[in-house]
Amino acid sequence: MAAAVTAVWISVAAVIAARPVTAQQEPFRGLDAYIAKAMQRWKIPGLSVAIVRNDSVLYAKGFGTLSISNATPVNDQTLFELGSTTKAFTATLAAMLVSDGTLRWTDRLADYLPGFRMYDPAANEEATIRDALTHQTGIGRAEMLWLGSNATRDEVVHRLRFLKPQSPFRSTFSYQNVMFVAAGEAVAKAGGDSWEGLVRRRIFEPLGMTSTVAEGRGLTSTNAALPHGMDHDMAYVQPKFNSQNIGPAGAIISNAQDMAKWLRFQLNDGVVNGKRLVSSAALRETHSPQALMTTGAAPRGTGADSVPVTNFSTYGMGWIVLDYRHELAWQHSGGTLGMTSQVGMLPEKRFGVVVLSNMASAALPQLIMNYIFDRQLGAPVRDLSGDMYTRLLPLRRRADSLEKALAAAHPVDARPPLPLAAYSGVFTDSVYGEANVTVKDGRLELQRGYWNAPLQFWNATNFRWVVPGAATGPLFIKFEVSPENVVTGLYFGLGADVRLLTRRAP
């Protein structure tokens, strides 16, 4: 992937060694050095951390730089994409409207979204705000419905009607984004504003989150981290994440100082500056277990500290509700195509942590949060970052070996069985929209939404598609060919969510 990405390369290690910007007393001895060392190990260009205790901000600090190509230091005002930690804002908005009496958790989505439909008749008739906010509608992730797509938010909601469920309605927890979009749009309709306007007016402004925005269009701040991906231990700059069509599920951009205000608000039971913004009962619903996620213990420590640190994990509304070392915890991670965030609280200790980073799929934000939790709880001090890095090394080596074996099994002079023009055309699907395959400069190219990249023939009717900046890894596109050697469709999707796109008649 790195070869296909245009990036300015400099020494990552030199960048990460940059000293923290804000001179501030460490709440725990050695925390700054631990974070800086962990960033260097995991090759995270930039990161910021905030810690809250008893309605006070103990710590808010930046580390590293805005990007590998911009040596401007990160500070506590640097903006990062929050990804799915946005979901708690949407759930809190719903709780505010429940407090007002303008919304009920049991209200049907269709009551606010007249065009709303679901494939499953039972879900179509009964799906509520609560169902959507707790991931219990039965549909799978179907990320390609919105990811890399030009579909608007309204189109994302419209396409839900064509998405077959992966489990029966209300039978199990099934994490996904698109129903959170529907929930956010329903809440906005109930509140008489757009989702962006509502979250700004009801949350950002009262809390004094003056730098936070609901999505990135028109963002003019120069103090904004750039997104990054990782390829074989080398960081590269990613294109910025297009979050407009996923809004309520993952579009907010914020910084450590503003997120500290968000933590204080949550830990203070919905009260800010002596003013209650949401009823205690409504906010409590978002923090209460609604759907079982896992049973049994995970993850475990090492050596003498080998007891489970987590015994149960449930989903509330926009929050994962679990135990951490026998303490109640509320937390959620967030990931975009170039950033990873982690927000977590120990409510009975009135203690909270936020970690923001400019690296996709990074493990470090959660490891730093857990390390800080351990220090607060007086647990044995463990190098969680080093332990996890060591555990992942065999998996990374195995993945590298598999990739090399796959490449070795692919003949460099392999040619597709049909002329390139036979594969060209427009392929359509009710959920994923259109994909356009063309012949350009003697090779095939596939464009779908704002993603466009060459198709490399692999074998049989399979082609490899690597989109610069997509952070999905290679996707394999399989063409459907009739016995008469006519291309009739192509299979497109991510993971298990692969669908057949039918070739449109010329």
Side-chain angles (χ1 to χ4, degrees), residues 246-271:
I246 204 65
I252 291 177
I253 297 173
S254 190
N255 59 33
Q257 280 287 357
D258 277 7
M259 289 300 289
K261 297 172 184 177
W262 173 242
L263 290 174
R264 291 170 59 198
F265 172 71
Q266 293 289 326
L267 291 168
N268 205 31
D269 193 35
V271 175

Side-chain angles (χ1 to χ4, degrees), residues 104 151 343:
R104 295 176 300 175
V343 180

Side-chain angles (χ1 to χ4, degrees), residues 266-282:
Q266 293 289 326
L267 291 168
N268 205 31
D269 193 35
V271 175
V272 60
N273 297 326
K275 182 180 180 181
R276 178 165 291 283
L277 302 185
V278 56
S279 74
S280 181

Side-chain angles (χ1 to χ4, degrees), residues 175-367:
Y175 186 87
Q176 43 74 48
N177 286 296
V178 291
M179 287 304 301
F180 241 89
V181 175
E185 291 298 281
V187 169
K189 290 289 177 62
D193 202 346
S194 65
W195 173 79
E196 289 85 351
L198 203 62
V199 73
R200 181 178 62 252
R201 178 165 53 85
R202 298 296 298 264
I203 297 180
F204 300 164
E205 291 176 0
L207 268 58
M209 299 175 69
T210 55
S211 299
T212 303
V213 296
E215 50 93 16
R217 287 184 302 176
L219 185 67
T220 58
S221 173
T222 57
N223 190 10
L226 293 182
H228 294 76
M230 184 74 72
D231 183 57
H232 294 88
D233 286 333
M234 182 67 74
Y236 59 87
V237 177
Q238 287 267 51
K240 290 186 178 180
F241 180 54
N242 184 349
S243 61
Q244 190 279 331
N245 64 2
I246 204 65
I252 291 177
I253 297 173
S254 190
N255 59 33
Q257 280 287 357
D258 277 7
M259 289 300 289
K261 297 172 184 177
W262 173 242
L263 290 174
R264 291 170 59 198
F265 172 71
Q266 293 289 326
L267 291 168
N268 205 31
D269 193 35
V271 175
V272 60
N273 297 326
K275 182 180 180 181
R276 178 165 291 283
L277 302 185
V278 56
S279 74
S280 181
L283 187 62
R284 190 182 308 121
E285 282 292 294
T286 70
H287 297 148
S288 298
Q290 306 285 338
L292 182 65
M293 294 176 65
T294 62
T295 56
R300 293 178 177 269
T302 57
D305 187 37
S306 59
V307 297
V309 297
T310 297
N311 294 283
F312 72 88
S313 182
T314 69
Y315 204 85
M317 298 184 194
W319 294 107
I320 296 172
V321 183
L322 68 158
D323 72 316
Y324 184 84
R325 295 191 179 277
H326 306 296
E327 291 284 343
L328 176 66
W330 308 329
Q331 61 180 252
H332 211 291
S333 61
T336 66
L337 296 184
M339 301 196 186
T340 309
S341 63
Q342 186 73 37
V343 180
M345 291 167 280
L346 303 173
E348 293 174 350
K349 301 294 186 183
R350 300 200 69 195
F351 185 80
V353 177
V354 59
V355 185
L356 309 174
S357 78
N358 59 352
M359 175 61 70
S361 303
L364 188 58
Q366 182 169 8
L367 296 171

Side-chain angles (χ1 to χ4, degrees), residues 72-85:
T72 302
V74 169
N75 58 31
D76 57 7
Q77 301 289 329
T78 300
L79 293 169
F80 291 83
E81 297 164 354
L82 296 188
S84 286
T85 58

Side-chain angles (χ1 to χ4, degrees), residues 410 414-417 423 444 455-465 475-481 490-491:
H410 173 65
R415 296 289 183 269
Y423 300 93
L444 291 178
L455 285 170
Q456 178 192 11
F457 176 68
W458 204 253
N459 57 36
T461 61
N462 301 304
F463 289 74
R464 190 171 183 258
W465 195 50
L475 296 181
F476 280 89
I477 308 298
K478 179 180 180 179
F479 285 89
E480 183 180 67
V481 181
L490 63 81
Y491 290 91

